Amino acid sequence: MKGVSSNKRRTLLKGMAAAGAVSVMGCASQLASSSRPRVVVVGGGWGGLGAVRALAAAGKVDITLIEPNDGFMSCPLSILYITGYAQAGDFQRGYGGVDALGVRRVKDRVLDIDRAGRTVKTAGQSIPYDFLVLSTGVEYMEETLPGYAEARELLPVGFRAFEQAAVQRQVSAFIERGGNFVLTVPKPPYRCPPAPYERACMIAHRMKEKGTKGKLIVVDANKSPMPPPLAKPFVTAMKEMYGNQIEYVTEAEAKSIDGGRKVLATSKGDIAFNHANIILPMRAPGLIRKAGLGERFAAVELPTFQSKADKSIFVIGDSQGSPLPKSGHIAFGAGQQVAEQILATINGSYKEAGLGDEVPLPTAICWGKVTTSLAVMINVTSSISVGDPPRIKFEVDPAANATASKGAADWGRDMWNAMLG
Ligand SMILES: Cc1cc2nc3c(=O)[nH]c(=O)nc-3n(C[C@H](O)[C@H](O)[C@H](O)COP(=O)(O)OP(=O)(O)OC[C@H]3O[C@@H](n4cnc5c(N)ncnc54)[C@H](O)[C@@H]3O)c2cc1C
């Protein structure tokens, strides 16, 4: 299980202390008089579960997890379900293991954050906090594609948990009936940049296997597959393995969509389709903007993931707007990291580090499957010197391979166990 190693975390805590401007010591002095500080975690996905488990392991704080879903579903690796090679249940887990840790779980949606009163509000409850961790993922920017909202049901994005079923239905109808399947890719930042190309390759893999008569048209707003270090292995796979299935159109922005006529207007002309997977631009959910924590994404300090607007709030995962890739692995590691920071703040064990020290940031591992048995591994490491932008380093397999495919399956199982027990 690759999270943030304890050595790295120690360095990190030292580094966080060096960032005087982002110190949380103010929070410690404002803790409520309750004997155990209250930490509220919003979002039971990758980041939220990283925070909850690390906080629970210490046994020093009262933890409330607020999440509207009954259980967890992984986006990573769920392409195998979308393309018919696995069951939805293979990517789902209940929250029983989290409940067993003594975490208070509230099955609800946070509607409002009262920063002055240090309270979050759901439809039925006001829940006070001393520290708030937000890991609320993404919402889709529907207004960027005129016509989309009217045809939402026909045009699933499927980049959030439990939405995979709608995309699976589109893919399965296309595989059976053929025709044109259109898949759009927005400009970054969006969740898991390699995921649209993985989706394209795996749909094409299924087409080949089932002899589907049709075309998968990938309409990419970018010049080449994102992130740039991944362009070569994905272009190679799309051209060499799936040249007869995929038409890859680059620098083509989706302009509007007519769900009735089934036509996508792009900067390179109109495309008629029978089935579609429209991947829209993304932003943090409205809750973040409403609370004044940022515009498109929450503005955070690195390495602490502390809100620039409010030192008692940490925003992790895909809702935060740092240049780090939007990856579940990073979200989970950031959750562990902010948990350690909160615990260190509470017990006063903050250690100063010298300015200019290099502080490691959570690592990312992403997988891009191109067949059921071949994948590309993307490993991202990053670090920051306090006050400077993060230095981000990509290591990418030069070509899809069987070792990465096996690694992806092992990684998924280890991560889900680490999150959900
Ligand atoms: C197809 C695909 C493939 C991917 N592959 C990889 C991969 O190989 N490796 C990798 O590291 N990452 C991968 N990712 C990215 C990964 O899924 C995300 O980066 C990760 O889910 C981010 O975690 P998060 O906690 O920010 O958001 P999420 O995991 O989406 O969790 C957010 C949670 O917040 C809850 N929520 C939202 N609003 C509220 C509210 N107001 N109140 C209460 N709860 C709320 C939601 O219900 C949700 O459960 C992939 C993503 C996709 C779509």
Side-chain angles (χ1 to χ4, degrees), residues 263-291:
V263 174
L264 174 74
T266 80
S267 54
K268 291 206 167 162
D270 289 357
I271 299 172
F273 62 87
N274 306 91
H275 299 95
N277 179 200
I278 300 298
I279 304 173
L280 291 169
M282 297 171 202
R283 64 183 162 217
L287 182 68
I288 301 277
R289 278 179 301 288
K290 202 168 157 200

Side-chain angles (χ1 to χ4, degrees), residues 43 45-47 67-68 76 110 135-136 191-192 317-318 327-329 365 367 411:
W46 288 73
E67 162 63 51
V110 172
S135 193
T136 49
R191 164 170 283 183
C192 194
D318 296 350
S327 121
H329 198 101
I365 300 183
W367 309 91
W411 170 87

